[in-house]
Amino acid sequence: MRIRFYNARIITFAEQQTTGELDRNIIDGELWTEDNKIIYVGKTPAELSGSAQDPARATLPPFNREIDVQGNLILPGFKDAHTHSAMTFLRSYADDLPLLDWLHQQVFPLEAKLQPQDVYWCSRLAVLEYLSSGITTIFDMYFYPENFVQAMIDSNYRAVLVSALNNFYSSVANMEEEYHRYNNANPLISYFLGFHAEYTTSLDLLRQIAALANKLQAPVYMHSSESAQEVKDCLSRYELTPTVLFDRLGIYNYGGGAYHCIHMSDEDLRIFKERKLSIVTNPASNCKLASGIAPVCKILEQGINLAIGTDGPASNNALDMFREMFLVTALAKIREKDAACVPAQQVLQMACVNGAEALNLKAANSLQVGKLADLIILDLQQPNMQPLNNIVKNVVYSGSKSNVLLTMVDGKILYEKGQYAANFDVERIYYEVNKVIKRVKS
Amino acid sequence: MRIRFYNARIITFAEQQTTGELDRNIIDGELWTEDNKIIYVGKTPAELSGSAQDPARATLPPFNREIDVQGNLILPGFKDAHTHSAMTFLRSYADDLPLLDWLHQQVFPLEAKLQPQDVYWCSRLAVLEYLSSGITTIFDMYFYPENFVQAMIDSNYRAVLVSALNNFYSSVANMEEEYHRYNNANPLISYFLGFHAEYTTSLDLLRQIAALANKLQAPVYMHSSESAQEVKDCLSRYELTPTVLFDRLGIYNYGGGAYHCIHMSDEDLRIFKERKLSIVTNPASNCKLASGIAPVCKILEQGINLAIGTDGPASNNALDMFREMFLVTALAKIREKDAACVPAQQVLQMACVNGAEALNLKAANSLQVGKLADLIILDLQQPNMQPLNNIVKNVVYSGSKSNVLLTMVDGKILYEKGQYAANFDVERIYYEVNKVIKRVKS
């Protein structure tokens, strides 16, 4: 299957061989995919500049489809670097509560009623929403991985799972088994070691996790420093912040990182920098749970890899990378009282490139020959993208999911002009998820 | 022209005759419009429950169009209660600067190069964006009112103008003339007294404005208490906050209100309460200029009418009521460290009803017989609106402009399924606005 996108503006984010800098220029040209890879990015070659009947075309292999991008923008797909897809079932159910009450009073009791097959349908609903927002890959923490993985494979969607291990769910032995199974299940799927959070994980269990991370030489991810209370409780338990505790236990010996990271000490940030850990920021969820504003400027100044996640739909409640991109910079400006901090270009890079770094998916971090064909097209011919004065600023400051014209994952067009590919039975997905929320609420 | 919307969910926000409370229920039924008014809201009458061939239908006057809403949601249109439409020409031009630098270094020099006809085209571009976000009325402050009004009339769009009078622009005599002219120009247009802000308006001019407000017994609006520096400067000039200064001068004797109102003293809020003034909050712009977070909870506790505005596209940069609605509650939760504050229902009311109150447009504040036919339809059959657990929360917490199926202003459908009515030449508008930004930048 060979697809040609022509008459396009393209931001490749390609790493420059000489400087190592990312190419942030907007080029005019075209991009070709073959199966799940990019096979060409650049100017329109002479053979294709003429009409469709030009005999020069015969010297090139034929395309299965040629898409006139009409001057719109091709970008590497957005990476949603922290989410709980299956929590779509709790969207608009448990709102307007702080983190710990929200978890204990609303989320945990309803999650206890979830069936494995529910996770399949709720995750499929989430994929519909990711595609409509230009998200091509997710970093997902939830239960029933078998059903989640099946949902991703049936969706032809790229996902990295991370274990939600804690005192009440799963075990280190189980996590080790899943690590091997899901890192070899399907090229669309990979698996990271992880656990829910310090406050749901005993010291003994943390030690076992550290031992496994060291045995497998693998990175580890978890929720960390999300609320002030969480850090306070951890300090009173161990006289250490969560980050320092994890580091001392050896959990971060082979890298990884954490989600949220709002209440971070200087020592915490130093550890992130030295260990080359990633931070995934979740601004909408952090506002909605009143958790706080992450120190994004400080994180960037340290050169720590910063990616963006939506968090789950029970706390956000949208799975919308445009809203998150705006919030990353808007909240940083408010926090630092500095309208100049975290410019648009940096935010777009977080969504497209830094997410791939956090997920160990460098094959999807740019639009270059040989990279994975995970890409999106944004419509610049809508009023919120006009005038075309600064396209990157338009995307970050006034862009919206309504600008997403097309989302391609692993070489397949899954979403195009508001329509989903044939492997999504949208009405069936809605029907099944509405059944789930009715059942668990009753 | 008679239009029937059937098979709909409807939130009317109708005022209950007995209690004065607003009806926030979601009713299943239909809504009819005739010319620019609503003529029916309620259950499907017996005459229409049968097939289109049912002879009972003949007893009702015929419809020019019948729209199957397919279970989607009809709402009163959103009111954007503070904007500068024509500033679309500066979108993504001047970003990442604090308010006063942004104004003096970037905005004012380029505005000086604007021609009257530029305001026409830039305002028409803004209307395209308002319609795509379900905004049916705007409260607009800018220059060249003649051209702005023409843009609104050609768009069939409802707008309230407010004077941008200041030391460098217009005069009180001119404002008085405009007040009479534009309050009698066209039923779509009305006009409020106003001025830019304390820091651009001399004491002598403020006194003249107060005299005119008292002569015309008219409300007055202006930017106020937007940045900490502005309040500090006003205090050092007059030993009074802007609100107290305006009140002492008699500017608020006949009501009105202010935009932004971030840095408000208790006395300021008391004046707003006692004078029954409105506050228009502009959360995205306030973040982007690092101005601060408005004390939304305190304002609501006082019972002050709180409406929502996008502010202009030079500072926001989107004209998107969904983004603003989420930010109003998200930022309040962060500011108060209280995830329970400013629930979704209250936010939706700000956008649909409180805006009409601020604009003195009670004829457009609800969906009831005799009210203006300004309404929107939101698509609930998109993944961000599923499951249908709590529709109002879905709209505020996960809704997006991509859910706007239809926008009707004054009985005319101006936007439907991504397409604009015939009175919008979209390509021409883009062409003209791109020409403007190229010229003023050169």
Side-chain angles (χ1 to χ4, degrees), chain B residues 75-148:
Chain B
L75 282 176
F78 300 137
K79 284 81 186 177
D80 185 346
H82 176 52
T83 183
H84 311 281
S85 298
M87 291 182 85
T88 45
F89 84 103
L90 281 182
R91 188 197 322 266
S92 298
Y93 171 71
D95 296 292
D96 308 325
L97 282 174
L99 175 67
L100 297 178
D101 294 343
W102 171 81
L103 274 176
H104 290 282
Q105 294 169 23
Q106 304 271 23
V107 175
F108 293 157
L110 264 73
E111 281 184 335
K113 297 187 188 175
L114 264 196
Q115 303 292 327
Q117 190 62 5
D118 298 341
V119 166
Y120 176 85
W121 290 112
C122 293
S123 300
R124 293 216 65 178
L125 174 60
V127 172
L128 294 176
E129 193 174 350
Y130 297 132
L131 292 171
S132 74
S133 178
I135 295 167
T136 54
T137 304
I138 54 168
F139 196 2
D140 196 278
M141 177 187 274
Y142 212 59
F143 319 122
Y144 304 119
E146 195 69 25
N147 307 80
F148 171 79

Side-chain angles (χ1 to χ4, degrees), chain A residues 25-153:
Chain A
N25 293 312
I26 297 177
I27 62 171
D28 292 319
E30 51 188 85
L31 184 150
W32 308 345
T33 64
E34 185 169 78
D35 301 329
N36 72 337
K37 294 280 169 60
I38 294 166
I39 59 166
Y40 180 81
V41 187
K43 296 277 163 210
T44 297
E47 295 89 333
L48 290 172
S49 347
S51 77
Q53 285 71 44
D54 190 330
R57 283 193 158 231
T59 63
L60 288 175
F63 294 101
N64 301 77
R65 191 168 165 207
E66 300 189 46
I67 297 174
D68 182 352
V69 181
Q70 300 184 303
N72 291 308
L73 182 67
I74 303 183
L75 282 177
F78 299 137
K79 284 80 185 179
D80 183 346
H82 175 54
T83 184
H84 311 282
S85 297
M87 292 182 85
T88 46
F89 83 105
L90 282 182
R91 189 198 319 264
S92 297
Y93 170 72
D95 296 292
D96 307 325
L97 282 174
L99 175 67
L100 296 179
D101 294 342
W102 172 81
L103 274 176
H104 290 283
Q105 294 169 24
Q106 304 271 23
V107 174
F108 292 158
L110 264 75
E111 281 185 333
K113 297 187 188 177
L114 265 196
Q115 303 291 326
Q117 191 62 6
D118 299 340
V119 167
Y120 176 85
W121 290 111
C122 293
S123 301
R124 293 217 64 180
L125 174 60
V127 172
L128 294 175
E129 195 174 349
Y130 296 132
L131 292 171
S132 73
S133 178
I135 295 167
T136 54
T137 305
I138 54 168
F139 195 2
D140 196 279
M141 177 187 275
Y142 212 60
F143 319 121
Y144 303 120
E146 193 70 25
N147 307 78
F148 171 80
V149 165
Q150 195 58 50
M152 297 303 112
I153 291 171

